[in-house]
Amino acid sequence: MLKIGITGGIGSGKTTVCKVFETLGIPVFYADTVAKQIMTTDFTLIEGIKTTFGSASYFEDGSLNNKHIANIVFNNEKELAKLNALVHPAVFRAFDAWDAKLSKNIPYSLKEAALLFESGSYKMCDKNILVTAPQAVKIARVTVRDNVSEEQVLARMNKQLQDEEKIKLADFDINNTESQSVILQVLALHKTFLELAASYKQ
Ligand code: ATP
């Protein structure tokens, strides 16, 4: 089945755009949500984390000791890279398992990931979409949604690749601002993906 990756910077509205695709019957795999879930369910990942960051990474009841991990990886690029090297392949495994269970009648699926390009995950998708919005709009949305300061949003933004870099790797973009209808942009892409899916089947 055709696999479409979708990403965008913090506050770009990628989750909102995915909800529009869902109304068209397109299943969406939310990689960041799944990444949190598999921290306590994927045996290979759990063992990898314990080996790399110590058995204190998990409490006796099997729940994740977020504070322990955060203390190690916070502001430490090398340790964060080690964590990502464990989590990203586990998310890929979860996506493959999820995708394999989808009905064969579904024309395509979406994989939504904040770090689609940074993780290399985009290479496993047939096409990739970048959701964009001006920096000021993204900041305004996130400060309201998460009740955080502009500085906190900027700090999170600076950890991601900039749109100028991501756009080079994307096949399509969706401009999620009030000046353009997101629904019309999604419908146009949906049509393109249906045609592509049909041509893949032939
Ligand atoms: P993050 O990476 O932080 O999870 P995201 O890219 O998934 O963000 P959303 O959560 O979809 O972004 O949107 C951020 C906020 O902006 C939400 O509160 C959402 O309701 C709002 N928003 C998204 N798109 C629009 C839009 N076109 N018009 C108005 N508000 C919007």
Short mmCIF file of all heavy atoms in Angstrom, two decimals, residues 9 55 70 84 86 153 198:
data_model
loop_
_atom_site.label_atom_id
_atom_site.label_comp_id
_atom_site.label_asym_id
_atom_site.label_seq_id
_atom_site.Cartn_x
_atom_site.Cartn_y
_atom_site.Cartn_z
N GLY A 9 6.88 21.70 11.19
CA GLY A 9 7.45 22.20 12.44
C GLY A 9 6.41 22.29 13.53
O GLY A 9 5.20 22.20 13.25
N SER A 55 19.19 0.24 34.63
CA SER A 55 17.90 -0.37 35.00
C SER A 55 16.99 0.64 35.69
O SER A 55 15.77 0.44 35.76
CB SER A 55 18.11 -1.59 35.89
OG SER A 55 18.92 -1.23 36.98
N ALA A 70 15.19 11.76 31.03
CA ALA A 70 15.27 13.19 30.68
C ALA A 70 16.56 13.81 31.25
O ALA A 70 17.23 14.59 30.57
CB ALA A 70 14.05 13.93 31.19
N ASN A 84 17.48 8.09 20.44
CA ASN A 84 16.81 8.07 19.13
C ASN A 84 17.15 6.82 18.34
O ASN A 84 16.30 6.26 17.65
CB ASN A 84 17.18 9.32 18.33
CG ASN A 84 16.43 10.55 18.82
OD1 ASN A 84 15.38 10.43 19.43
ND2 ASN A 84 16.98 11.73 18.58
N LEU A 86 17.60 3.98 19.44
CA LEU A 86 16.81 2.86 19.97
C LEU A 86 15.33 3.03 19.62
O LEU A 86 14.66 2.08 19.20
CB LEU A 86 16.94 2.80 21.51
CG LEU A 86 18.31 2.43 22.06
CD1 LEU A 86 18.39 2.75 23.55
CD2 LEU A 86 18.59 0.94 21.83
N VAL A 153 8.91 28.10 23.06
CA VAL A 153 8.56 27.59 21.72
C VAL A 153 9.79 27.66 20.82
O VAL A 153 10.12 26.71 20.11
CB VAL A 153 7.39 28.38 21.09
CG1 VAL A 153 7.03 27.81 19.73
CG2 VAL A 153 6.17 28.38 21.99
N ALA A 198 -3.64 3.95 -7.59
CA ALA A 198 -4.20 3.15 -8.69
C ALA A 198 -3.09 2.74 -9.65
O ALA A 198 -3.05 1.61 -10.13
CB ALA A 198 -5.28 3.94 -9.41
#
